[in-house]
Amino acid sequence: DVKVTQSSRYLVKRTGEKVFLECVQDMDHENMFWYRQDPGLGLRLIYFSYDVKMKEKGDIPEGYSVSREKKERFSLILESASTNQTSMYLCASTPVSSNQPQHFGDGTRLSIL
Amino acid sequence: AQTVTQSQPEMSVQEAETVTLSCTYDTSESDYYLFWYKQPPSRQMILVIRQEAYKQQNATENRFSVNFQKAAKSFSLKISDSQLGDAAMYFCAYRSLISNFGNEKLTFGTGTRLTIIP
């Protein structure tokens, strides 16, 4: 069965810290995505990657960066965490195929104090 | 850019009854995919149903069906015989048909929270 694993379910960090959110998929998918979910705003795309070492900005990339050194792993980095980055973060993956849906991880609820 | 609108932040339905969740979208593309995802309190996003825009027939998955009106850019979800396990956030999502260089990204609506009344 398809599996997308996010390293932490809950995370609490302090303002100014560098924060890493990790995501691993076991399906050999080319595409991986990071979304942010906020009440009343739905899910918004932060960054995505369609291949190793390739990355593209989504709709809200400011304050974030990503890393994809291996096909199965896609990391989201908050360079200097701020309180407005407190949110739920969801990772997803999908193969390069016209009719395949995205598979999601269970999410990381991040609180920045 | 594509946009997806869900105008009902919250809905409730009596157990065993039928409920319809609304979704409209805006796009200049002629072919695309539309999805309904369910997010229960466990937070796992679960695909409920998928519709290809080039198919005229409305998709159906057991108790879930859609009313896809391409000209009106409307994509509503009907849940029949509602069950307690249907309680969740429901998100409508759009995806381009063309698949390359990460074009598989989804554009989501803001969600509808569905409550099932026993």
Side-chain angles (χ1 to χ4, degrees):
Chain A
D1 198 15
V2 168
K3 189 69 175 175
V4 178
T5 303
Q6 294 185 229
S7 55
S8 303
R9 196 157 171 83
Y10 299 95
L11 203 55
V12 180
K13 296 291 182 180
R14 296 207 173 273
T15 304
E17 280 192 72
K18 189 169 186 176
V19 181
F20 293 85
L21 302 184
E22 306 287 345
C23 175
V24 177
Q25 50 97 1
D26 64 357
M27 299 155 288
D28 203 37
H29 286 172
E30 291 80 7
N31 298 303
M32 297 188 74
F33 307 84
W34 274 107
Y35 295 92
R36 170 177 171 158
Q37 181 179 0
D38 299 288
L41 297 177
L43 280 75
R44 294 176 292 167
L45 182 64
I46 305 171
Y47 265 97
F48 64 98
S49 168
Y50 53 86
D51 201 351
V52 175
K53 296 191 185 297
M54 305 304 289
K55 59 186 179 184
E56 293 287 340
K57 294 180 179 179
D59 300 319
I60 52 166
E62 296 78 18
Y64 303 94
S65 63
V66 290
S67 172
R68 191 156 181 212
E69 296 296 318
K70 293 185 178 181
K71 191 174 185 180
E72 67 270 19
R73 185 180 298 272
F74 191 36
S75 303
L76 179 69
I77 304 160
L78 286 65
E79 297 290 344
S80 177
S82 64
T83 55
N84 62 12
Q85 293 178 308
T86 291
S87 186
M88 170 80 80
Y89 291 87
L90 287 162
C91 175
S93 73
T94 189
V96 177
S97 172
S98 293
N99 63 355
Q100 293 299 309
Q102 291 191 10
H103 300 274
F104 285 83
D106 287 342
T108 296
R109 191 173 295 281
L110 174 65
S111 296
I112 307 296
L113 304 179
Chain B
Q2 296 80 24
T3 59
V4 177
T5 302
Q6 292 178 252
S7 59
Q8 306 154 316
E10 296 183 350
M11 292 278 286
S12 60
V13 63
Q14 207 81 30
E15 194 175 2
E17 296 295 310
T18 296
V19 64
T20 299
L21 307 184
S22 301
C23 173
T24 59
Y25 59 94
D26 191 26
T27 183
S28 59
E29 298 177 328
S30 58
D31 287 316
Y32 42 87
Y33 292 100
L34 295 165
F35 303 87
W36 278 99
Y37 278 89
K38 167 186 176 181
Q39 187 183 44
S42 65
R43 298 179 349 202
Q44 175 72 49
M45 292 284 280
I46 302 165
L47 178 66
V48 175
I49 201 165
R50 171 177 57 200
Q51 175 80 41
E52 290 89 346
Y54 54 85
K55 291 185 178 179
Q56 292 189 348
Q57 187 173 7
N58 288 326
T60 299
E61 287 286 342
N62 301 313
R63 297 181 295 107
F64 298 87
S65 61
V66 298
N67 183 5
F68 174 50
Q69 302 288 328
K70 190 172 184 180
K73 296 181 180 175
S74 171
F75 182 60
S76 61
L77 175 70
K78 186 173 82 171
I79 306 173
S80 303
D81 185 25
S82 298
Q83 300 175 1
L84 294 178
D86 295 334
M89 281 289 287
Y90 286 82
F91 291 98
C92 179
Y94 172 102
R95 207 206 87 176
S96 294
L97 181 71
I98 299 170
S99 182
N100 66 324
F101 301 114
N103 212 34
E104 299 82 353
K105 60 183 180 290
L106 294 171
T107 300
F108 285 88
T110 52
T112 296
R113 182 173 301 281
L114 179 64
T115 300
I116 310 297
I117 303 167

